[in-house]
Amino acid sequence: MSISTKYNPKEIEKKWYDSWMQRGFFRSKPNPNKEPYTIVIPPPNVTGVLHMGHMLNNTIQDVLIRRARMQGKEACWVPGTDHASIATEAKVVAMLKERGINKKDLTREDFLKYAWEWKDKYGGIILDQLKKLGASCDWDRTRFTMEDDLSAAVIEVFVDLYRKGHIYRGVRMVNWDPQGKTALSDEEVIYKQVNSKLYYLNYQIEGSDDTLTIATTRPETILGDTAICVNPNDERYKHLHGKTVLVPLINRSIPIITDEYVDMEFGTGCLKVTPAHDLNDYELGIKHKLPSIDILNDDGTLSDKALLYVGENRFVVRKKIAKELEEKGILAKVEDITNNVGFSERTDAVIEPKLSMQWFCKMDAMAKPAMESVMEDQIKLHPPKFKNMYRSWMENIRDWCISRQLWWGQRIPAFYLPDGSFVVATTAEEALELARKQSGNNELQVSDLHQDEDVLDTWFSSWLWPISVFDGFKDPDNKDILYYYPTNDLVTAPEILFFWVARMIMAGYEFRKEPPFRNVYLTGIVRDAQGRKMSKSLGNSPDPLDLIEQYGADGVRAGMLFSSPAGNDLLFDEKLVEQGRNFSNKIWNAFRLIKGWEVDETLPCPNETAIKWFESRFNEAFVQIEDHFEKFRISDALLAVYKLVWDDFCSSYLEMIKPAYQQPIDKQTIDATVGFLENVLKALHPFMPFLTEEIWHDLKERKEKEFLIVAAWPKKDTFDKEIIEQMDSVLKVIAAIRNIRNSKNIPNNKQLDLLIKVMTQNSYDAFLSIIRKLANINEISFVEDNVEGAISFIEAGDEFFIPMAGNIDVAAERERLTKELEYTKGFLNSVAKKLSNERFVNGAPEAVIANERKKQADAEAKIKAIEQSLASL
RNA sequence: GGGGUGUUAGCUCAGCUGGUUCAGAGCACCUGCCUUACAAGCAGGGGGUCACUGGUUCGAAUCCAGUACGCCCCA
């Protein structure tokens, strides 16, 4: 035979991907005669390269979209990338540095030119990598969050929300990244446990020689202190209420205030209040009308308001000031503690809570419908355990800081007048008009206005993604948006459930009055075999493209899905991918076998039972597979196909119908078998698209557009439960015979005889040839009595004998039978006990009791049979 | 500290509405096979007090409470 015994994915994958592309199978257009099925890709970071998380995520999306396509839906998977402002800007800055260029020396326009240059060069990499995986995206629809239309949408939305009063500008405590020199949203801050020191400092009480001790992890911030706070119920400090103390080193007089917020147990129970540098202190400050003293510059050095150590880095100052305090006898003691410190997700710098002027988007009004839609299952989360988390987040939502002190992104459309007031408008011209109206000054020119320097958070683009990719802002009634929106399923990671998913839902209701999608499938995190998160720094992540090279895209796809139930982390092991590859090979060889048969049209069909059985078995399995799909149990769906193919189709069915070596096969069997293989390929195609398409075409001549990728998905059909059960018993009989061979060291090629004592209504007539073939039996006969000199076993209530021609080890056989007898008696006993319990008989449903009675009768029959066998030994 | 969620075979996990799918699957493991589709394979097999304690029930892996340990989110 000329077909290789091993499946070789390399050229095959490229061939079919190109072929699909050429024929436009991935493309989608609104088609009123078809039901739309839409997925928008979670846009990967434009700076990114494919990692294992993307592999899992996009494999699942591809499985969903391919199945929908085969189901005859108008399947549309929209790809694209997002501009990832901080990450990309950091990469561009690094690139410039390499070329000896400092960002500070560039104008905004020059910098953006470099940024686009960078994006054009590296921005498409990740999408090309997805093609290797087999992703069947409609590439003609590829979008980018910074392209003109999507940027216009962002600006339009900003202006709209501003006019609705949802966007405001204000001084607020924000998470400041002193390295990136930008504000971050709460979600971009990662808290880590670190070892710190707790410094105990003595503050002099004014008008007294006494001191008061406070504890702080950040002694440098005392320079910004504006009060000391104690719990009003704290007996220790009652005598100090209303007094003032002096801040050490600078001797500023600050009041002692009281608030129940203070934890009496922590430190000394005295809290220093630094409203400019701590969120809780800030809120205390507002409540008690305290001044804020901002002692830090944007780059994390001390400002002149600090009075001391001006211009020095915050961490350097911490050490220096601790030393100075110690020398001056102010430092009482130092303790080691661990506390949570926030770090920038992007630059890893320690976050500085900082007061600054930022733009905010109000969340409460928009959060309401977004929360309800998930709680009431208009949008379903899979698995639903994430609903709780979602709710608690939405209930405690805070306003969204949307401004970023960067250049790479959509510039905030606010224009400042010479007097410091501002207007918000989509264009400078429109702004001028508004500004003239607002100021009453008709002499104002565009050049008098100054646009805000900041850009918008990237998520302020991506929350519009399901709408903006269909140009739903530019042209709200266009055909695409009307047809594809709401999209169907979103596949993403739980980490961005709030960042992104929740905000998309808000935007959906705000701008389209409809949810952006119906189902959210949450994948897990891909971890290594030890359970560690895969990361570049650990070096524990395989390169996905290497894996594809080694095992084939189909093998990798299957491997990823073998062990990844929704919402559960995937402990990735290369073994899984190996299993995927082995599976590819298994199917390949099944195909080789079928392809290799000569057909003799004159032969009668000896395989009616096998054919009838597999047909039913396929339908049974397919119903289950569909059920898994409907419940988003993708892993289970794959495993069900896997078992259907390997166990039922290959190990059982093909062995049943396989003609003897070099013998031809009859027409009816080959036709049925090819049909079965086609159905199996269909069910398998979403998971393993390349291999299945290849076999599809090798199996038969196909017409120009007759591709598996667009073949009709099988329909759920009825199945004959009885034949499945009968075959089940028959296969157990075969296994029992094989087991006897194994344990008695009887070679496979030695034919045995089989005698059957039927004690039930079972009929084996239709299955005799199958038993003969699979168990290598010479003669099968039926008996009324026990057979002497034979090994026996019971299956489905009937007794089977294999004559051993005197080769029986009587003692061993007696022991085996005795053991089985004992077990069965014990079993009977437990059933009898149940049945003699009056409360069980009265309380349990009829079916359960009938079942127990059947168990009882079966066990009794079995005991009788074993006893007879023992007697005849 | 608050909330959520989990603990089932060596590993990863199914197990829905308590009772024949109740103790399962895949991988790993053990034994025997190079039997012309496949050694990336074939055949067979051994593994579990369902975390622990108590409760509800005729009956609990399944429901309830507590304990221990793990993970996640928030502070």
Side-chain angles (χ1 to χ4, degrees):
Chain A
M1 184 180 299
S2 58
I3 312 171
S4 158
T5 61
K6 302 234 178 333
Y7 169 63
N8 184 358
K10 267 180 209 161
E11 56 267 31
I12 284 172
E13 290 178 1
K14 188 169 170 12
K15 176 176 76 182
W16 293 118
Y17 202 87
D18 290 348
S19 205
W20 292 326
M21 285 286 275
Q22 252 175 38
R23 286 170 176 76
F25 290 135
F26 302 164
R27 265 187 238 134
S28 172
K29 276 197 308 234
N31 177 349
N33 300 321
K34 283 171 139 189
E35 183 189 336
Y37 177 84
T38 316
I39 297 179
V40 292
I41 204 169
N45 182 330
V46 73
T47 67
V49 288
L50 199 68
H51 58 64
M52 296 305 285
H54 294 124
M55 296 279 282
L56 174 62
N57 182 268
N58 287 289
T59 298
I60 292 167
Q61 291 175 71
D62 199 44
V63 168
L64 296 175
I65 204 89
R66 282 179 186 271
R67 172 168 171 265
R69 194 180 288 122
M70 291 174 76
Q71 283 176 318
K73 295 178 186 169
E74 185 58 44
C76 180
W77 183 10
V78 183
T81 47
D82 87 31
H83 62 279
S85 55
I86 299 181
T88 306
E89 182 147 332
K91 295 231 171 172
V92 175
V93 168
M95 174 189 82
L96 291 172
K97 206 170 168 188
E98 260 176 40
R99 297 192 199 169
I101 304 169
N102 194 330
K103 182 188 162 192
K104 272 191 213 150
D105 301 334
L106 294 177
T107 64
R108 187 179 191 114
E109 284 64 38
D110 288 340
F111 178 82
L112 287 176
K113 243 181 246 161
Y114 283 115
W116 278 105
E117 181 191 316
W118 193 94
K119 186 262 164 188
D120 290 337
K121 192 161 169 197
Y122 300 108
I125 292 179
I126 195 159
L127 298 181
D128 283 334
Q129 291 177 318
L130 285 178
K131 294 175 183 166
K132 296 267 188 309
L133 183 66
S136 59
C137 304
D138 184 350
W139 297 108
D140 296 344
R141 293 179 178 272
T142 305
R143 305 307 292 257
F144 175 51
T145 52
M146 270 276 274
E147 67 179 66
D148 289 346
D149 283 345
L150 272 65
S151 291
V154 168
I155 298 306
E156 187 188 324
V157 161
F158 183 96
V159 172
D160 176 63
L161 290 177
Y162 177 78
R163 290 188 181 150
K164 286 178 187 159
H166 288 325
I167 286 182
Y168 62 95
R169 189 167 178 256
V171 174
R172 286 267 301 267
M173 189 66 77
V174 295
N175 305 296
W176 185 261
D177 175 347
Q179 198 168 314
K181 288 184 199 150
T182 179
L184 300 179
S185 71
D186 293 338
E187 293 75 25
E188 288 165 304
V189 180
I190 299 164
Y191 288 90
K192 298 185 209 167
Q193 286 264 323
V194 295
N195 296 318
S196 307
K197 291 188 187 321
L198 191 60
Y199 299 85
Y200 286 79
L201 307 178
N202 295 326
Y203 283 49
Q204 178 74 47
I205 295 161
E206 270 194 287
S208 149
D209 288 340
D210 287 347
T211 61
L212 178 134
T213 308
I214 61 96
T216 178
T217 54
R218 306 189 56 194
E220 71 280 10
T221 62
I222 64 168
L223 304 172
D225 283 356
T226 56
I228 296 291
C229 190
V230 296
N231 193 304
N233 306 315
D234 196 332
E235 295 296 333
R236 293 172 295 177
Y237 301 115
K238 281 217 163 137
H239 64 291
L240 295 177
H241 293 181
K243 303 221 164 146
T244 56
V245 298
L246 293 172
V247 177
L249 307 183
I250 52 172
N251 289 329
R252 180 165 54 233
S253 172
I254 57 171
I256 294 170
I257 59 171
T258 61
D259 198 292
E260 297 202 340
Y261 160 76
V262 177
D263 180 356
M264 292 190 275
E265 306 297 321
F266 184 79
T268 60
C270 291
L271 178 74
K272 68 194 260 317
V273 186
T274 323
H277 298 288
D278 183 281
L279 183 61
N280 297 311
D281 292 11
Y282 174 67
E283 274 155 20
L284 264 179
I286 291 173
K287 193 166 158 192
H288 296 274
K289 299 196 171 59
L290 299 170
S292 282
I293 302 173
D294 187 350
I295 62 157
L296 287 173
N297 294 314
D298 289 352
D299 60 359
T301 58
L302 270 67
S303 71
D304 46 11
K305 296 218 188 74
L307 305 175
L308 301 172
Y309 303 105
V310 174
E312 295 189 56
N313 178 280
R314 52 190 169 147
F315 299 114
V316 174
V317 174
R318 183 172 306 169
K319 284 187 186 144
K320 285 191 178 174
I321 205 167
K323 199 162 170 236
E324 185 178 350
L325 290 164
E326 186 176 10
E327 283 164 5
K328 298 199 166 149
I330 296 161
L331 183 66
K333 63 170 173 173
V334 182
E335 269 177 13
D336 289 322
I337 60 159
T338 56
N339 63 341
N340 273 324
V341 175
F343 292 82
S344 165
E345 190 189 34
R346 302 293 184 195
T347 66
D348 206 37
V350 173
I351 292 302
E352 198 60 61
K354 187 177 157 61
L355 279 177
S356 72
M357 184 66 90
Q358 300 288 346
W359 291 90
F360 291 90
C361 185
K362 282 189 196 166
M363 289 280 98
D364 47 1
M366 282 192 274
K368 220 179 151 215
M371 179 166 91
E372 282 165 4
S373 68
V374 170
M375 285 307 120
E376 289 159 16
D377 286 335
Q378 277 134 30
I379 296 173
K380 288 201 187 85
L381 304 187
H382 303 274
K385 68 176 177 184
F386 287 104
K387 272 168 83 174
N388 281 323
M389 221 165 84
Y390 181 86
R391 179 176 51 206
S392 76
W393 193 77
M394 295 301 269
E395 278 172 349
N396 300 302
I397 196 161
R398 278 189 283 174
D399 288 352
W400 175 15
C401 175
I402 52 174
S403 42
R404 294 291 181 276
Q405 287 64 52
L406 301 166
W407 282 344
W408 179 241
Q410 288 93 13
R411 193 168 174 181
I412 291 175
F415 298 83
Y416 297 92
L417 281 63
D419 67 0
S421 64
F422 65 87
V423 293
V424 169
T426 41
T427 62
E429 292 68 36
E430 197 192 327
L432 180 63
E433 210 173 298
L434 288 170
R436 283 179 175 169
K437 213 182 279 171
Q438 184 171 308
S439 63
N441 175 1
N442 278 326
E443 305 303 305
L444 276 181
Q445 298 302 315
V446 166
S447 57
D448 296 324
L449 300 179
H450 179 72
Q451 187 173 358
D452 199 299
E453 290 292 338
D454 291 351
V455 299
L456 289 159
D457 180 9
T458 308
W459 298 107
F460 200 81
S461 310
S462 30
W463 77 321
L464 309 176
W465 187 248
I467 304 172
S468 60
V469 294
F470 298 115
D471 291 322
F473 290 98
K474 185 175 152 192
D475 181 4
D477 293 316
N478 80 71
K479 267 192 188 158
D480 278 3
I481 188 90
L482 294 179
Y483 185 72
Y484 293 114
Y485 190 94
T487 71
N488 295 71
D489 304 334
L490 178 82
V491 181
T492 191
E495 292 136 85
I496 52 173
L497 187 56
F498 314 134
F499 263 121
W500 189 48
V501 179
R503 286 174 186 156
M504 276 192 288
I505 297 174
M506 291 184 213
Y509 284 105
E510 181 70 22
F511 302 111
R512 300 285 319 174
K513 311 277 174 254
E514 271 190 299
F517 29 71
R518 299 296 179 191
N519 295 288
V520 180
Y521 179 102
L522 295 152
T523 63
I525 297 167
V526 182
R527 299 175 181 278
D528 69 9
Q530 282 107 63
R532 297 174 304 178
K533 198 168 170 173
M534 283 191 172
S535 73
K536 265 194 194 142
S537 53
L538 271 174
N540 58 350
S541 178
D543 178 345
L545 296 182
D546 282 354
L547 282 178
I548 290 177
E549 181 77 17
Q550 230 181 311
Y551 295 100
D554 292 320
V556 176
R557 291 166 64 112
M560 303 280 320
L561 291 180
F562 274 135
S563 178
S564 49
N568 274 27
D569 288 357
L570 162 65
L571 296 197
F572 181 80
D573 193 323
E574 216 161 302
K575 278 234 155 75
L576 289 167
V577 180
E578 207 180 301
Q579 192 188 344
R581 180 206 51 187
N582 293 353
F583 186 40
S584 305
N585 208 43
K586 185 71 189 175
I587 303 153
W588 180 251
N589 277 292
F591 155 70
R592 282 180 62 228
L593 175 68
I594 295 167
K595 186 71 184 170
W597 286 329
E598 294 281 319
V599 182
D600 180 344
E601 304 215 355
T602 63
L603 285 176
C605 172
N607 299 312
E608 271 170 36
T609 307
I611 291 169
K612 250 164 65 190
W613 167 72
F614 188 76
E615 191 175 12
S616 275
R617 177 61 200 124
F618 178 87
N619 286 338
E620 182 188 47
F622 188 71
V623 166
Q624 201 184 23
I625 290 161
E626 286 287 83
D627 185 52
H628 286 317
F629 268 120
E630 269 145 38
K631 291 172 179 153
F632 286 87
R633 299 201 289 228
I634 310 295
S635 224
D636 290 338
L638 172 60
L639 213 54
V641 183
Y642 180 86
K643 282 193 267 187
L644 175 71
V645 172
W646 202 307
D647 299 346
D648 298 314
F649 188 66
C650 294
S651 296
S652 299
Y653 176 75
L654 288 179
E655 292 300 330
M656 291 175 198
I657 61 148
K658 191 158 112 181
Y661 182 53
Q662 288 192 328
Q663 293 301 304
I665 195 159
D666 67 282
K667 179 95 171 61
Q668 201 183 329
T669 303
I670 187 81
D671 285 352
T673 306
V674 167
F676 292 154
L677 181 58
E678 283 182 336
N679 272 346
V680 161
L681 291 175
K682 286 176 183 176
L684 201 52
H685 180 264
F687 301 103
M688 307 178 93
F690 296 110
L691 164 73
T692 50
E693 188 74 83
E694 169 71 19
I695 297 177
W696 178 261
H697 287 272
D698 290 346
L699 198 57
K700 269 191 197 170
E701 280 295 309
R702 303 286 177 183
K703 294 188 205 103
E704 167 61 18
K705 286 234 163 180
E706 195 189 352
F707 274 62
L708 181 56
I709 186 176
V710 289
W713 187 246
K715 291 238 171 341
K716 279 197 260 186
D717 208 343
T718 54
F719 51 91
D720 178 353
K721 230 179 158 151
E722 200 183 332
I723 196 169
I724 290 172
E725 275 168 21
Q726 281 178 310
M727 188 62 90
D728 222 42
S729 302
V730 166
L731 289 170
K732 277 185 189 153
V733 169
I734 291 164
I737 298 170
R738 286 169 170 173
N739 189 10
I740 290 169
R741 269 184 200 282
N742 238 308
S743 58
K744 304 288 173 221
N745 281 320
I746 302 167
N748 289 331
N749 55 15
K750 189 183 175 208
Q751 289 207 317
L752 299 170
D753 290 336
L754 175 67
L755 296 104
I756 310 175
K757 182 174 142 197
V758 180
M759 300 181 286
T760 60
Q761 303 299 309
N762 295 342
S763 165
Y764 292 90
D765 295 350
F767 300 90
L768 296 180
S769 67
I770 288 172
I771 296 174
R772 266 194 210 103
K773 200 162 180 179
L774 267 58
N776 196 18
I777 298 294
N778 180 32
E779 203 169 302
I780 301 180
S781 39
F782 291 87
V783 292
E784 301 282 323
D785 298 309
N786 280 13
V787 180
E788 290 192 20
I791 295 183
S792 68
F793 59 91
I794 294 165
E795 182 56 55
D798 300 323
E799 196 163 10
F800 297 78
F801 302 90
I802 305 282
M804 284 288 111
N807 287 331
I808 285 198
D809 179 343
V810 176
E813 202 50 19
R814 174 166 291 136
E815 195 191 324
R816 187 180 68 84
L817 287 170
T818 310
K819 253 190 187 162
E820 203 176 342
L821 182 65
E822 267 170 43
Y823 173 85
T824 313
K825 277 182 171 167
F827 177 77
L828 175 65
N829 200 18
S830 76
V831 175
K833 221 163 110 187
K834 228 184 217 182
L835 283 169
S836 63
N837 183 336
E838 230 174 273
R839 282 192 292 182
F840 171 74
V841 180
N842 292 335
E846 209 43 56
V848 173
I849 296 169
N851 207 358
E852 291 298 317
R853 291 202 201 285
K854 185 174 179 293
K855 273 156 98 176
Q856 187 180 34
D858 286 352
E860 277 165 355
K862 198 166 175 182
I863 285 167
K864 210 167 136 197
I866 297 172
E867 278 169 349
Q868 272 184 25
S869 292
L870 272 172
S872 66
L873 264 176

